[in-house]
Amino acid sequence: MPDERLTSGVAEWTRAVDVDRLQPSRPIAVKLRGKHVALFLHQGEILACNNRCPHEGYPLVEGALDADCVLTCHWHNWKFDLKTGATLYGGDNLRIYPVKMEDGAVWLDIRDPPAAERAERALEHLELALAEFDTARIARELARLDAAGAEPELALLRVIQGTHARLRDGMTHAYAAAEAWLRLRDTLAGEAPRLACAVEALVYIAFDTLREKNYPFTAESTAWNAGDFAAAIESQDEDGAAALLNGALAQGLHFADLEPALAEAALAHYNDFGHTLIYLMHVRRLIEQLGTEVEKPLLLAWLRSLIFATREDLLPDFRLYADALAAWPAGARSGGLPPGADAFEGQSVRHVLDATVAAAGSAPLEVYFALMEASARHLLRFDERHALRTDNGIADNVGWLDFTHALTFGHALRQQCARQPRLWPQGLLQLALFVGRNSKYLDPNMAAQAKIREWAVSDETAFHERAIAAIVDHGVGLPIFPAHWLKTWSAVRDEVAAGLPAGARSAMLAAVNRLLAVRFKQRHALRTAHQALGFVGRED
Ligand code: FES
């Protein structure tokens, strides 16, 4: 009978079948200690492999073995070298088992390799899966990593180390979302949703680095100096700023030591839709999650995104920012009634900046709450026809993410200013710019209070459960969209937990409820064609 155990040297042999049962044209399948094994007789040699194809599990005993010992799985034509297990066409390698013949029987060593070895192999194969953007294989390799007892954090750490220099423009939402996906994973119990979150964490990075070459950072190192760092950023000198970061880390400084200078740089200008401050929050959390090994790659990628960030405060629409910041009163606050969201909702950039400066005497958090409530009302009142139009100019390319960023930027701002209150003026004025820039895309016939009632969240526990289910099983093709569902929802959930006045709380919950019902128009073929024709038609 099969499944009889014998120990021979370091190998542990399990009796599989009598030798005479095997014939060249008749491979057989056996089950040994829960493992499905296919046995082949090839030119006098007995070979054994996992009977479940590593692609989708179809039985390889049904496959075809040719004279060169190439085994083909008929389901999707993957091909394996049955002597080594190497995949000749397809993806994942085939597990093969050592074989010996003794006492007229075939014996197999079916022990699994040590967990560390299996984890390392899964990590190596994961790299291949990411390079090919093979999402199904990414999921399988992460499941194998898990089966070997390792966490997806280990994979994320390796992936960040391997991809940070391939982000040509520096950090993207992919790293930020990876942190959010793994944080969500930590709150879930089910095996499949947990794996889905881990897969999403890596898939977006694979998407953003696909077919990208390496854009190496300088290896130079300069003694850390916060003033020099700010000056290097200001002059868009990536090498100079990176050398200072390298120097800081070489001196033994860590993220927490550098964060004040980094946050100051992120808020020195209104740039790139607030991304660099948002990313900084995620850099901090990723370092907390993955350890100091990711400090350098993350900080360099973050730095590059800041170097290349668009200086939006130089654009005509936002030039008032510098004046507003200069008008911010220095010194002690004078008190006074805090503004409400009505002071900001639906107002122009100029008006919102003026109203924010006028509120400088109030506690910053009170002004913050009003601006966040206005941002949430704006999301609720967004006239979606702007997101769907095909005949607009490039300047009016606006969509739901223009509105979500106000909330995620605000959330990052509150976190940062809890540690560095001196940054409130820059932060509040930049939040004001978000509010003002989005005002012109509101539906004038839509009242905020009616929308808040329409999308009200009455049972927060049930809402969050529904939100998680929708986010995990998002069904959206481009990873940027589910990432923004996740990031906006988690920002609002964290804001609620940190404490919000009733008005801001109900508006922000309603806004994220509304957002989760959006069917994103992910691509704009007709609009892009329209804009290209108009642009080229005006070219000299
Ligand atoms: S299941 Fe074997 S190739 Fe797809």
Side-chain angles (χ1 to χ4, degrees), residues 31-90:
K31 192 171 174 191
L32 297 176
R33 302 187 177 277
K35 292 190 187 321
H36 296 266
V37 180
L39 287 161
F40 298 82
L41 180 58
H42 177 75
Q43 297 172 357
E45 186 179 2
I46 296 174
L47 299 157
C49 69
N50 188 347
N51 189 30
R52 293 158 55 83
C53 176
H55 179 218
E56 288 185 352
Y58 286 98
L60 287 169
V61 75
E62 304 287 344
L65 186 62
D66 70 13
D68 295 325
C69 208
V70 174
L71 175 63
T72 298
C73 174
H74 289 315
W75 268 267
H76 308 97
N77 213 28
W78 281 25
K79 296 182 188 302
F80 310 96
D81 179 336
L82 190 54
K83 291 198 174 173
T84 64
T87 305
L88 305 174
Y89 172 75

Side-chain angles (χ1 to χ4, degrees), residues 355-436:
T356 306
V357 173
S362 303
L365 210 48
E366 298 289 350
V367 186
Y368 169 81
F369 291 145
L371 285 164
M372 287 293 268
E373 184 175 341
S375 300
R377 291 188 193 180
H378 280 190
L379 194 152
L380 285 161
R381 291 183 54 201
F382 175 41
D383 185 344
E384 196 180 24
R385 285 171 295 188
H386 291 291
L388 304 177
R389 280 180 68 177
T390 58
D391 60 350
N392 56 293
I394 292 173
D396 287 321
N397 283 353
V398 68
W400 287 100
L401 303 193
D402 293 80
F403 288 80
T404 64
H405 279 96
L407 296 174
T408 51
F409 173 81
H411 174 58
L413 178 68
R414 183 179 183 179
Q415 301 263 308
Q416 191 56 246
C417 290
R419 290 189 290 280
Q420 297 181 81
R422 70 194 164 82
L423 294 173
W424 270 121
Q426 294 93 318
L428 290 175
L429 289 171
Q430 292 184 25
L431 191 51
L433 290 178
F434 273 102
V435 174

Side-chain angles (χ1 to χ4, degrees), residues 423-537:
L423 294 173
W424 270 121
Q426 294 93 318
L428 290 175
L429 289 171
Q430 292 184 25
L431 191 51
L433 290 178
F434 273 102
V435 174
R437 76 188 294 166
N438 286 337
S439 287
K440 58 183 172 179
Y441 302 108
L442 306 184
D443 184 339
N445 300 317
M446 219 183 254
Q449 292 309 325
K451 297 305 285 183
I452 291 171
R453 280 194 298 278
E454 182 184 343
W455 293 98
V457 172
S458 51
D459 179 341
E460 285 184 35
T461 305
F463 168 68
H464 290 310
E465 278 173 15
R466 265 201 336 273
I468 291 170
I471 290 166
V472 172
D473 191 27
H474 56 76
V476 179
L478 293 182
I480 189 170
F481 293 103
H484 280 80
W485 266 342
L486 170 60
K487 289 174 61 183
T488 311
W489 166 76
S490 58
V492 168
R493 185 200 51 186
D494 290 354
E495 284 291 312
V496 167
L500 290 170
R505 181 185 180 119
S506 55
M508 287 166 68
L509 283 166
V512 80
N513 195 12
R514 169 74 192 96
L515 179 73
L516 289 169
V518 167
R519 287 171 62 88
F520 293 110
K521 185 174 181 180
Q522 298 178 53
R523 298 185 63 237
H524 293 270
L526 192 55
R527 177 196 282 179
T528 305
H530 167 80
Q531 292 175 348
L533 287 170
F535 186 80
V536 172

Side-chain angles (χ1 to χ4, degrees), residues 230-253:
I233 301 266
E234 200 66 25
S235 58
Q236 302 185 20
D237 172 10
E238 180 191 306
D239 285 351
L244 286 157
L245 274 183
N246 290 339
L249 297 174
Q251 280 171 247
L253 299 176

